[in-house]
Amino acid sequence: MSRPPSPAPKAPRGERGYRWVTLWAATIAAVPVADWFLPPNIHLAQLLVLPLALAAALADTRRTAVTALLALAALIAAGAERRTLTTENVLVQMLALVLLSTLLLIATRLRERHQRQLAIVSQVSEATQSVLLRPLPRRAGAVSLASTYVAVGTGARIGGDLYALVRAPGATRLIIGDARGKGLGAISDIDTVLGAFRFNAYRHSTLSGLASALESDVCWDLRQSHRGDPDDWPGERFVTAAVLEIPDDQSCARLISFGHLPPLLLHGRHVTPLEVSVPAPPLGLGALAESEYAPLTFRFAQGDRLVLYTDGVTEARDRTGSFYPLTERVTTWADQRPDALVRRIGADLSAYTGGSLADDMALIVLQHEGEHARARISEDRWDA
């Protein structure tokens, strides 16, 4: 489930746009024709503003200008038919139509400029997403995985959530997190965390070493980006995160939580939240409390699945204000593969909230492929 931002209304283009103009032109032409048959005291000239207003709302400036000229020509034709073209009433109607057309053309021009600006913002957002949130592979080491990401900001493809995966020697390492800010305002912190993770994930042999380096680098970068004296940094910016390591040749996984939501371990039909007894402070707040970054090691064998998520999932509400019961819902679909499970959760979450999320959300599902994956890894190393 990857929901794009709501696009700005677009003017009809191509063949469809000309069909609209033809319809409006026919409506305009019908006014002087109808006036020819109607009694002298009944006038339909006021109806000419309807196709003009529709053109201004739906079409581009050029088609709106054509519609305005047609409406003015129809008004002149209607006045000529009734021999009232030079009367004060018809002249006032013509002046009013010209003024209205001018205002609508200006509004249409401004709307087109705004649409171009939104298109540029969308392109920048997509470029930013491709750089920061690189697509996760379908297979990595001993696991297969699927993911989805939804940003709720208007015109945004990237929000305040983050994820990344790195293949380290003999293991797959993954991070999922949630910056304190929301939407585009959190991009700087996301860039800091993802850069630090990608730099350190390959260079440290232990998950504890990676976590320590990650906290150190993130805290240093946040201090340096503080507008005041770095030593006076108030610690208002932070990122909750979960860092996971899955060895290629072991039926286990290791987890360090920086104040993040507990992943869900799916073994058959059983769902177990992986609660860390002593979680580390969120990234950027490590100086507030000492931590040894001791990982939680748990069994993760062939066929087991892990569900990683951000609070945009569990804090989504229905019309009554009730939170989305992720653990209960996942129990029903615990035997499905990652891609099917991600789609099922996404569709169910959309139905639960009525299609309206209040916060950014990221969702990742991993499945341990067991001996098949290990054999493939060994073959890849041999071929290399």
Side-chain angles (χ1 to χ4, degrees), residues 84-104:
T84 58
L85 185 58
T86 58
T87 62
E88 182 177 315
N89 182 39
V90 174
L91 291 176
V92 170
Q93 289 180 359
M94 292 172 59
L95 178 60
L97 184 61
V98 170
L99 292 176
L100 177 62
S101 300
T102 302
L103 293 175
L104 290 178

Side-chain angles (χ1 to χ4, degrees), residues 6-7 40 45 91 97 105 116 124 139 161 192 213 220 281 285 334 374:
S6 300
L91 291 176
L97 184 61
L105 285 171
R116 286 194 294 269
V124 172
R139 295 290 294 267
D161 294 346
T192 295
W220 179 87
L285 301 180
R374 295 173 193 168

Side-chain angles (χ1 to χ4, degrees), residues 49-50 81 132 135 168 206 245 258 277 335 360 374:
V49 301
L50 294 179
E81 288 174 1
L132 293 183
T206 65
E245 178 182 77
F258 294 90
S277 57
D335 58 343
D360 308 319
R374 295 173 193 168

Side-chain angles (χ1 to χ4, degrees), residues 249-274:
D249 55 358
Q250 301 177 36
S251 296
C252 69
R254 303 179 184 92
L255 170 70
I256 292 180
S257 174
F258 294 90
H260 197 68
L261 299 168
L264 302 180
L265 174 62
L266 282 59
H267 178 74
R269 288 283 182 175
H270 300 285
V271 179
T272 305
L274 297 174

Side-chain angles (χ1 to χ4, degrees), residues 45 51 84 97 101-103 109-111 120 129 156 189 233-235 260 269 281 294 309-310 347 350 361 371:
T84 58
L97 184 61
S101 300
T102 302
L103 293 175
R109 187 68 174 177
L110 293 175
R111 173 172 56 80
I120 293 173
Q129 183 186 43
D189 295 348
W233 179 61
H260 197 68
R269 288 283 182 175
Y309 55 95
T310 58
S350 179
M361 62 87 74
E371 298 298 333

Side-chain angles (χ1 to χ4, degrees), residues 261 309-317 322-327 349:
L261 299 168
Y309 55 95
T310 58
D311 59 8
V313 178
T314 53
E315 294 184 4
R317 299 172 182 260
S322 302
F323 290 117
Y324 181 71
L326 176 63
T327 303
L349 183 62

